[in-house]
Amino acid sequence: MSLPENVGVYGGGRMGAGIAHAFLLAGTSVTVVEVSEPAAVAARERVETSLTRARERGKLPGPLPEVAARLSVSTDPGVLAGCGLVVEAVPEDMELKRRVLASVAAVAPDAYLATNTSSLPVHGLASDLPAPDRLVGLHFFNPVPASELVEIVVGPKTAPELVGEAQAWVEALGKTAITVTDSPGFASSRLGVALALEAMRMLQDGVASAEDIDTAMTLGYKHPMGPLKTTDVVGLDVRLAIAEHLAREVGERFAPPAVLLEKVRAGHLGRKTGQGFYSW
């Protein structure tokens, strides 16, 4: 098997739990690290709920107790010492991610490191690492169990052999990889956010309703989900953070529209809060 026998995931939120799910289904042992005991308990519940759903869909490669037994959850980063790969999956904050990656490198110096960032530069995240050549971007998509795509982001110091390993890992997970250079927003976030921001401006200008704008893309262009509903699923706060980053790096065409700023300020973050561009 091309996957490491033991994989760590630092961060057990929706994305981290989904990444853990994907590696468990591929046959590895997975250790999830969280910052507190309540967060660790919640992370385990997320992964086990996801595995139960996979069993109900006939997607689980073995009895649920056996698959779940390969999952461990801890608040101690030291448990990652035996991992061949550790995937960072904490919120999209540069300094937080850098601290997490540095702490992982300290306890697991022989592990390959991957960041699940959707827009932050890999070279910036690698700047404090003793071995920046051992870091690669593995941008999984939400929801991870159902998504077929992983974006491999190659930093300027990422070792070529690590890129090959990452491509093999994605294949072993049963997903498809695209490989991109380390640039603002990569390929997927840059294109996805550009479409979403224009859809928001159209809604703001009264061109059409959210439902009709989304239907234009699902029926007219065969997108599986419209850009506004996708924003609700991703999280309006996540989309805002990416848009602000792209505006700084690429230009004002990525400046977030007023409707997005207003909704985030109001706490309407999409599906996770029950209200965004849609009611959930």
Side-chain angles (χ1 to χ4, degrees):
M1 184 176 64
S2 60
L3 288 170
E5 184 177 347
N6 298 297
V7 173
V9 180
Y10 201 116
R14 179 174 293 171
M15 289 303 298
I19 293 167
H21 170 114
F23 280 102
L24 286 167
L25 262 60
T28 68
S29 294
V30 177
T31 301
V32 176
V33 172
E34 260 295 359
V35 294
S36 67
E37 193 59 39
V41 170
R44 179 179 290 279
E45 290 176 352
R46 288 188 194 98
V47 178
E48 291 180 345
T49 297
S50 184
L51 293 176
T52 300
R53 290 172 180 161
R55 181 187 62 183
E56 293 168 353
R57 297 193 302 269
K59 302 287 187 181
L60 205 63
L64 178 58
E66 291 183 12
V67 178
R70 288 189 275 105
L71 171 68
S72 60
V73 182
S74 177
T75 59
D76 177 16
V79 299
L80 300 173
C83 294
L85 165 67
V86 179
V87 183
E88 167 273 307
V90 300
E92 197 77 347
D93 177 277
M94 174 69 84
E95 293 309 313
L96 173 61
K97 286 180 179 289
R98 288 174 66 177
R99 288 197 303 272
V100 165
L101 288 166
S103 69
V104 173
V107 298
D110 297 326
Y112 283 125
L113 303 181
T115 173
N116 185 50
T117 180
S118 56
S119 65
L120 297 175
V122 171
H123 69 269
L125 295 171
S127 62
D128 290 337
L129 297 179
D133 59 314
R134 299 182 72 80
L135 177 67
V136 69
L138 283 183
H139 177 203
F140 289 83
F141 289 76
N142 186 28
V144 178
S147 174
E148 299 177 3
L149 178 67
V150 178
E151 189 172 36
I152 298 172
V153 185
V154 182
K157 295 186 178 180
T158 302
E161 59 268 26
L162 176 52
V163 179
E165 290 283 353
Q167 291 166 338
W169 297 334
V170 174
E171 183 179 354
L173 293 176
K175 300 183 185 295
T176 298
I178 62 170
T179 304
V180 303
T181 58
D182 190 18
S183 57
F186 317 135
S188 59
S189 292
R190 188 164 170 175
L191 286 170
V193 170
L195 178 61
L197 294 178
E198 189 57 32
M200 293 174 206
R201 294 186 190 101
M202 291 169 62
L203 180 67
Q204 185 174 282
D205 293 344
V207 172
S209 67
E211 292 83 356
D212 285 349
I213 291 169
D214 279 352
T215 299
M217 300 310 297
T218 56
L219 297 185
Y221 289 86
K222 303 304 180 184
H223 289 201
M225 190 183 299
L228 296 173
K229 183 165 284 187
T230 299
T231 297
D232 271 12
V233 172
V234 170
L236 275 71
D237 53 336
V238 175
R239 276 277 159 94
L240 175 59
I242 296 172
E244 290 175 334
H245 171 69
L246 288 172
R248 289 191 297 270
E249 297 293 326
V250 180
E252 280 301 304
R253 66 183 183 274
F254 284 99
V259 64
L260 177 59
L261 294 168
E262 290 165 1
K263 285 184 177 293
V264 171
R265 278 195 294 264
H268 298 162
L269 307 183
R271 184 170 64 179
K272 59 189 172 186
T273 62
Q275 184 66 45
F277 291 103
Y278 292 83
S279 295
W280 295 82

